[in-house]
Amino acid sequence: MPASVVLGFSDRADVDWARLRGLQYSALAKIAFYRVFSHALLAVFVALIYMDTVGFLGIAGWIAVLAAVHTRGYKLDLTLADTQRRRISRNELNRQTMTAVFSGLVWGSAVLVFPFFGTQGELMAMLIVIALMVSGSVFFFTAAPKGILCFSTIVSVAAMLQLGFHGHWMAVVAVLLMLVAAVIGTIEVGRTYLAARMAEAAVTEKEEVVSLLLREFEENEADWLWQIDPARRLRLVSPRFAFALGRTQESIESRPLLEMIAGSNWESGNLPPSLHDLAERLKNRENFSNLLVQVSILGEERWWELSGTPMRDEQGRFTGFRGVGSDVTEQRNSSEKIAYLARYDTLTHLPNRLMLTEALGEAVRYSHQWRARCALLMVDLDRFKSVNDSLGHLTGDKLLAQVSARLQSLMGENQMVGRLGGDEFAIVLREVHSASAVRDLAHRVIERLTEPYQVDHHTLYIGASVGSAEGPRDGHSVEELMRNADLALYQAKDLGGGAHCRFEPALHASAEERRKLEMALRKALGRDELLLHYQPVVDARSESVVSFEALVRWNSAEHGFVSPGKFIPLAEDTRLIVPIGKWVMRKACEEARNWPDHVKVNVNVSPEQLLEPDFHNDVIEALAASGLRPERLEVEVTESIFLRDATVARTALERVMALGCSVALDDFGTGYSSLGYLRKLRFSTIKVDRTFVQGAAQGSVESLAIINAVVAMCKSLDMSTTAEGVETSEEAELIRNLGCDKIQGFYFGRPMPAEDALKLFQIVREMRA
């Protein structure tokens, strides 16, 4: 520490000077009285020496000035008593230093003046008094080194002037050497004193922090301090620790720690493993931290987290343990719950995807180690979505719970069933003993899940599709087995559900083809690969064209012409049907603008489109862009639109009808055919599916009855009927006789490009001409 910093002439940039000076000057209040007393005593001694020669008035005046200076200094020193806890100002520092300067000037004046009235012996006595004050200040008043330096310099200079006036040059040198020694002593003693004060303040600050932390720690309900002696008996029991034990401090003082926390298990000796671990660590006198211990408090099982450190005295002898503890029962229960939720499904209480993946990974490792076979079965529920949509999610959840119970009842040894999510489940077989084991289990699953369910007074029927993959034949990793089992499940769903399919390598090719087809379909609109064909719909009596149904076709640059039966389902699965449907709507309206005013255009709309919140805006934009009157646009939907979100679909169609457009119900009779749909929404046309037309042509009584019923119903509801799939003149005559209003089929025209549809009207005009 530089001398200028110790003396207070400068401040280090890395030190808080106000705090530094506060530590220095805070001790002045304690020695202020002794300084005043010492100066008074020496002033009396000087007065006795020079009373006769200087005179009473001179001595009295000098003492009065000295008393005034030190009275002021005494009061100032008392105000500095609290500077170790606050910041001292520069003004306070300068005022204290001025006390030393004024005192030095008063004593210096006595040294300069009084010896002229006395003898050489009296001068030597005065010089001894000055030397005594300087040396005493250096060693006893170290709290103010700057003031000591000022006082010593002033009185020493005055002494040197007096001695020089009398020609005592050697004495002048001696006083100068004393001054140098005083300055050096002041600096060194001040530096030592200041360092000691800073260290003391640091220790005090640490003690205060530790005390504060301990006090806060003790006030925390969940934590406590504990201490035991070498015999493991409790000592200095804290109130919090006693509260944690459910007892009073007095009742557990000097009682064995293990006995207090073992409860009724102490007498039987049947202690939990964690208590044995704690006892072993205490026996070996080992440090331990965050040790989880199962304890019994008043008969209640709880969990504590303990940390402890051995204590030793000055001679290094072991005196016991001291540590901290907390009750972590709630946290442990929460951790167990979190761990359960991480691996189990909350609805069905079956293992979830994470746990199934871990079990499958273990099965794969086991099969590799012992050259055994394992298997994974993917189970997907058939027709579950219709139950969920029609009866609500609460009923669907209850149904899933029953499905889970049935699956769990089918599980045997080394078999685990879990829920992957939604209505999809998985079964892991750790070891497959026979080739038919997987097939037999899959059939039992399908058979058991197909049985009827009773949920909230409803009798529900669903089914199940199963896809399976065996390891290591179908995959050497969890990812391969799950992907291949999923491909097999997809194949089972494609077969219509209610079936089991094993993974075959050919499924990879099919999946790859589907992936490539999807990638090409995503680019089809941008590449202008989609086009529309139009199939005529004619009046049953006059056989004149009344409308065209717009049918989308795809001529892919990579795959050539792709069947609509192939890419339409793919577009619906990937929701690409939404942008495709929007394009179809706009393109069909543009083309219909070129037809005669009485001819409509029929546009098929997917359920995915109807669920879009701005579907009616798409219709408005298509009509506005093309200039087509709303009355010439007929939207065709199937009954499946009511199986997902009937309210949204109904609202969307009502908005379209409000524009002036008409709505036709396509494929009536092949789906759920609920008459409630006809009551909820007023359709303009009901289209009879081609299967009934062909059945009626072949003499099927049922088909004839259905067509007659539909025609009669539509007439009573003021709706028109369209028969689809008419391919021969006989079928056309039959449909005409059955009363259908419009006919559509190959007999009257196959789907044709827009140019051919336009030419059709030109031919009619020429024939009429």
Side-chain angles (χ1 to χ4, degrees), residues 329-347:
T329 306
E330 299 299 328
Q331 295 92 314
R332 180 177 173 83
N333 292 340
S334 298
S335 299
E336 291 179 348
K337 186 175 182 180
I338 292 172
Y340 178 85
L341 293 176
R343 284 177 165 74
Y344 286 89
D345 179 60
T346 55
L347 175 63

Side-chain angles (χ1 to χ4, degrees), residues 343-345 349-363 375-379 404 407-420 425-431 441 445:
R343 284 177 165 74
Y344 286 89
D345 179 60
H349 303 292
L350 292 178
N352 62 8
R353 181 181 291 272
L354 174 61
M355 192 169 181
L356 283 170
T357 303
E358 292 175 349
L360 183 57
E362 180 59 32
L376 174 66
L377 282 73
M378 293 280 200
V379 182
S404 304
L407 287 173
Q408 188 68 51
S409 67
L410 296 174
M411 294 301 102
E413 186 179 0
N414 292 326
Q415 297 177 355
M416 175 190 288
V417 62
R419 184 186 179 206
L420 295 176
F425 298 81
I427 300 173
V428 176
L429 278 66
R430 178 184 174 90
E431 189 172 5
L441 178 59
V445 167

Side-chain angles (χ1 to χ4, degrees), residues 109-290:
S109 63
V111 173
L112 284 174
V113 176
F114 288 178
F116 288 109
F117 298 96
T119 63
Q120 292 293 319
E122 291 173 341
L123 174 60
M124 294 305 297
M126 172 64 80
L127 293 175
I128 291 173
V129 169
I130 296 302
L132 183 61
M133 283 194 296
V134 170
S135 60
S137 298
V138 170
F139 292 105
F140 295 105
F141 302 104
T142 55
K146 186 177 181 180
I148 296 172
L149 182 62
C150 293
F151 176 82
S152 300
T153 301
I154 292 172
V155 296
S156 295
V157 169
M160 286 187 288
L161 291 174
Q162 179 62 250
L163 291 172
F165 181 80
H166 289 89
H168 303 305
W169 300 110
M170 293 303 295
V172 170
V173 173
V175 173
L176 180 62
L177 292 175
M178 183 193 73
L179 176 61
V180 172
V183 171
I184 295 174
T186 299
I187 294 173
E188 292 302 322
V189 174
R191 181 183 288 119
T192 302
Y193 173 79
L194 183 57
R197 290 291 292 159
M198 292 178 68
E200 180 183 343
V203 171
T204 302
E205 184 177 354
K206 288 181 180 179
E207 289 178 350
E208 290 177 353
V209 171
V210 171
S211 177
L212 177 62
L213 291 175
L214 288 176
R215 186 166 61 254
E216 291 181 352
F217 189 81
E218 277 292 309
E219 292 174 356
N220 189 341
E221 292 186 5
D223 303 287
W224 59 80
L225 300 174
W226 62 274
Q227 182 174 329
I228 58 174
D229 60 16
R232 306 181 201 172
R233 293 181 298 234
L234 292 169
R235 298 296 185 200
L236 302 175
V237 177
S238 66
R240 293 296 178 196
F241 187 33
F243 177 79
L245 287 170
R247 303 170 184 267
T248 62
Q249 292 177 258
E250 297 77 13
S251 64
I252 59 177
E253 186 73 30
S254 301
R255 297 287 298 278
L257 171 64
L258 294 178
E259 180 182 349
M260 290 292 96
I261 62 178
S264 58
N265 296 325
W266 178 257
E267 296 181 359
S268 63
N270 186 21
L271 301 180
S274 57
L275 277 183
H276 283 291
D277 189 15
L278 174 62
E280 193 66 22
R281 293 173 185 267
L282 295 177
K283 177 182 176 182
N284 296 333
R285 301 175 181 177
E286 300 175 355
N287 283 317
F288 55 90
S289 178
N290 302 326

Side-chain angles (χ1 to χ4, degrees), residues 351-667:
N352 62 8
R353 181 181 291 272
L354 174 61
M355 192 169 181
L356 283 170
T357 303
E358 292 175 349
L360 183 57
E362 180 59 32
V364 170
R365 287 190 292 271
Y366 180 84
S367 65
H368 288 167
Q369 181 179 359
W370 300 104
R371 297 184 179 276
R373 289 186 300 166
C374 62
L376 174 66
L377 282 73
M378 293 280 200
V379 182
D380 189 83
L381 302 183
D382 301 332
R383 301 182 299 279
F384 173 77
K385 195 173 188 316
S386 62
V387 174
N388 220 20
D389 291 340
S390 59
L391 299 180
H393 291 284
L394 183 60
T395 300
D397 290 346
K398 292 180 180 179
L399 178 58
L400 285 177
Q402 292 191 26
V403 169
S404 304
R406 292 187 184 186
L407 287 173
Q408 188 68 51
S409 67
L410 296 174
M411 294 301 102
E413 186 179 0
N414 292 326
Q415 297 177 355
M416 175 190 288
V417 62
R419 184 186 179 206
L420 295 176
D423 60 347
E424 193 171 1
F425 298 81
I427 300 173
V428 176
L429 278 66
R430 178 184 174 90
E431 189 172 5
V432 178
H433 297 287
S434 64
S436 61
V438 175
R439 183 182 67 250
D440 293 343
L441 178 59
H443 289 165
R444 289 199 304 273
V445 167
I446 294 173
E447 182 181 351
R448 186 76 176 92
L449 297 186
T450 307
E451 297 175 1
Y453 299 83
Q454 293 294 329
V455 180
D456 292 339
H457 308 294
H458 297 285
T459 301
L460 305 177
Y461 294 89
I462 60 173
S465 301
V466 181
S468 64
E470 295 184 18
R473 187 197 69 177
D474 300 330
H476 296 274
S477 66
V478 172
E479 292 76 14
E480 287 180 333
L481 286 175
M482 295 192 77
R483 182 182 67 246
N484 294 340
D486 201 40
L487 288 174
L489 175 62
Y490 192 84
Q491 178 68 15
K493 299 289 284 187
D494 276 352
L495 296 176
H500 163 236
C501 287
R502 292 175 54 187
F503 170 76
E504 298 294 342
L507 295 179
H508 263 309
S510 176
E512 183 64 16
E513 180 187 1
R514 177 183 171 86
R515 186 189 67 82
K516 291 181 179 179
L517 201 64
E518 179 185 339
M519 294 299 295
L521 185 58
R522 291 185 180 277
K523 303 173 184 177
L525 277 176
R527 293 176 175 177
D528 200 23
E529 295 178 350
L530 297 179
L531 64 153
L532 291 183
H533 283 187
Y534 301 89
Q535 186 174 25
V537 179
V538 302
D539 183 89
R541 301 299 173 188
S542 65
E543 295 187 357
S544 61
V545 177
V546 294
S547 66
F548 279 95
E549 181 178 0
L551 303 170
V552 65
R553 298 293 185 261
W554 179 23
N555 184 13
S556 172
E558 302 172 11
H559 304 278
F561 276 98
V562 183
S563 168
K566 199 170 187 178
F567 76 83
I568 293 296
L570 178 61
E572 290 183 337
D573 288 345
T574 57
R575 287 189 58 80
L576 290 173
I577 196 66
V578 175
I580 291 175
K582 187 175 182 179
W583 176 85
V584 169
M585 179 76 68
R586 181 182 291 267
K587 192 70 175 176
C589 290
E590 289 177 359
E591 189 61 38
R593 188 73 175 81
N594 302 319
W595 302 339
D597 289 343
H598 69 281
V599 179
K600 291 185 176 184
V601 62
N602 300 353
V603 179
N604 292 283
V605 174
S606 167
E608 295 292 336
Q609 292 177 259
L610 286 179
L611 293 179
E612 291 292 306
D614 55 350
F615 170 71
H616 69 289
N617 290 330
D618 295 340
V619 176
I620 294 174
E621 291 176 3
L623 293 173
S626 63
L628 187 72
R629 297 199 321 273
E631 295 80 7
R632 296 183 59 194
L633 173 62
E634 186 168 69
V635 174
E636 291 192 10
V637 297
T638 62
E639 297 169 6
S640 61
I641 64 171
F642 297 103
L643 297 180
R644 296 198 45 186
D645 196 327
T647 303
V648 174
R650 178 182 175 185
T651 302
L653 291 176
E654 285 177 344
R655 288 181 175 180
V656 171
M657 294 170 68
L659 298 174
C661 303
S662 55
V663 179
L665 182 60
D666 198 5
D667 298 336

